[in-house]
């Protein structure tokens, strides 16, 4: 079973998403995001920690800093590119994440 957990930094509210349609909506929003490797040090006030679990094991993690920066880590990859900091260079509003906390 696959699930996504999202923790909102400002109030430490934790949401678990396990419905297939909701998971698909989140994954789809991130699928078209264009990224550029970045060593960004500027962090906005709102941060979301996003963890994807498969059969209760964490497989993938992302930290979304506002709508401008993204850090990701692929727990299953042995590649030297398994993690990194990136600037989001395409249109992205993060609606699939922010709407979870309304």
């Amino acid at each position: 079973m696959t699930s996504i957990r999202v923790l909102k930094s400002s109030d430490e509210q934790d949401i678990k998403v396990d419905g297939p349609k909701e998971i698909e909506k989140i994954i789809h929003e991130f699928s078209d995001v264009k990224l550029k490797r970045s060593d960004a040090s500027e962090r906005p006030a709102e941060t979301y920690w996003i963890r994807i679990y498969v059969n209760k094991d964490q497989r993938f993690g992302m930290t979304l800093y506002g709508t401008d920066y993204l850090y990701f880590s692929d727990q299953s990859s042995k590649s030297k590119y398994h993690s990194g900091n990136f600037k989001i260079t395409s249109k992205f509003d993060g609606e699939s994440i922010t709407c979870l906390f309304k």
Side-chain angles (χ1 to χ4, degrees):
M1 182 167 154
T2 301
S3 64
I4 297 176
R5 295 195 70 113
V6 181
L7 176 70
K8 182 179 176 185
S9 67
S10 63
D11 60 8
E12 296 188 12
Q13 188 176 1
D14 190 7
I15 303 286
K16 180 180 180 184
V17 178
D18 53 12
K21 289 185 190 257
E22 292 85 5
I23 290 172
E24 183 179 341
K25 179 181 175 186
I26 292 169
I27 299 298
H28 180 73
E29 183 174 24
F30 281 96
S31 69
D32 291 330
V33 170
K34 304 283 188 248
L35 303 171
K36 178 181 178 184
R37 192 168 284 278
S38 172
D39 291 327
S41 58
E42 181 182 323
R43 301 290 188 237
E46 197 62 78
T47 301
Y48 297 91
W49 290 281
I50 305 160
R51 305 295 178 250
I52 299 174
Y53 294 85
V54 177
N55 297 325
K56 298 185 181 181
D57 292 327
Q58 182 179 325
R59 290 284 181 88
F60 194 81
M62 295 187 298
T63 305
L64 180 62
Y65 300 101
T67 57
D68 297 319
Y69 294 96
L70 181 69
Y71 169 81
F72 79 88
S73 175
D74 183 350
Q75 304 294 325
S76 64
S77 175
K78 303 294 186 217
S79 164
K80 69 179 182 177
Y81 301 109
H82 74 281
S83 65
N85 286 305
F86 295 87
K87 176 161 181 45
I88 298 171
T89 61
S90 59
K91 183 179 177 192
F92 176 75
D93 64 9
E95 178 66 22
S96 66
I97 300 299
T98 58
C99 76
L100 295 172
F101 298 92
K102 292 181 180 177

